Every structure is written in structure tokens, then in C-alpha cells.
Amino acid sequence: MTLQTYMDLSPHYTSRLMLRPFLERDTDELYAIQSDQQAMRHTFAATSLQQCAQRLKTFEDMRDSHGFAPWVVCDRSETEVIGWGGLNIDPFDPGWGVEVSYFFDPAHWGRGFATELVLALKE
């Protein structure tokens, strides 16, 4: 994806995924994943719906200032939200610089979706 692609707010598609900007209506589905201590054991786990919404909105707001932010990841065939991820500078710990972050619903682990997301970032 080019920088212009990241600034474009329309959905982007891979063979199995739809990638789109975070919308407030995504909070419940993403909180269900982000509050799962086991699923999030290697990264931030939200302790409340409000905290989850605030963090995801803060990341999305970075799209304006940096030109990129993580995407909501949906199953292309069902448009079900299955995760979140992409390029970012963590607004809560910016010292790491640009990085790839993602999390997925454990029900969708082991299917190569993270690989497909990361490969899409290169296009």
C-alpha cells in the first residue's frame, strides 16, 4: 500500500480480507478481542470498553498526523470484524518508531490472516 492508500478512507481488499479505518461502531467487536487476556498476552489488553474505544480512536487519529494508522480487519466474505492491525507509531509509547501491530480474534488464528495483512502493507 502506498502512503496515498493509507490516507484513502475507502476499504481496501486482499483475497480474503477487507481493511478499513476504525469506526466507533467497531468498538464492541474489537473490545471482545482486546479484553481477552489470553489473546492479548503479548500486548496491551483493554480493561474496559471505554478504554478500548479511547485507545483505538487515538490510533485512528494518527492517520491524519502521520498519514497511516492500523485498519479494522474484516472477513471479506462476511464483513465480520476479525481483528485490527497495520502500520503505526504507538501514541502511548512512540519511542519504538514505526511498527506493525495487529490482533485477531482467536477463532481466526492459524489461517494466515496476519500474514495476509502484513503482505498487504507492502503493496
Side-chain angles (χ1 to χ4, degrees):
M1 290 183 189
T2 65
L3 182 56
Q4 183 61 36
T5 301
Y6 274 93
M7 293 299 292
D8 180 3
L9 298 181
S10 61
H12 300 281
Y13 297 91
T14 68
S15 61
R16 300 179 300 159
L17 303 174
M18 177 179 68
L19 310 175
R20 60 170 175 75
F22 170 75
L23 301 170
E24 190 175 326
R25 69 174 189 238
D26 300 317
T27 303
D28 287 341
E29 290 171 289
L30 292 172
Y31 177 64
I33 304 166
Q34 204 176 41
S35 64
D36 181 330
Q37 296 293 315
Q38 182 62 20
M40 302 301 289
R41 68 186 174 275
H42 299 295
T43 190
F44 172 81
T47 57
S48 71
L49 184 65
Q50 180 182 8
Q51 182 187 44
C52 177
Q54 176 198 8
R55 286 185 68 91
L56 294 172
K57 182 172 181 345
T58 300
F59 273 95
E60 184 57 37
D61 289 345
M62 302 297 278
R63 193 176 309 279
D64 289 335
S65 59
H66 292 302
F68 55 89
W71 301 100
V72 171
V73 180
C74 301
D75 181 315
R76 185 174 178 166
S77 64
E78 302 170 16
T79 66
E80 169 191 11
V81 173
I82 63 171
W84 175 91
L87 292 176
N88 71 86
I89 297 173
D90 186 337
F92 302 98
D93 192 6
W96 289 95
V98 178
E99 60 185 340
V100 175
S101 300
Y102 56 84
F103 60 82
F104 285 88
D105 182 329
H108 297 277
W109 288 2
R111 298 183 193 177
F113 291 133
T115 300
E116 192 167 328
L117 168 65
V118 173
L119 290 173
L121 301 176
K122 292 176 31 177
E123 296 175 0

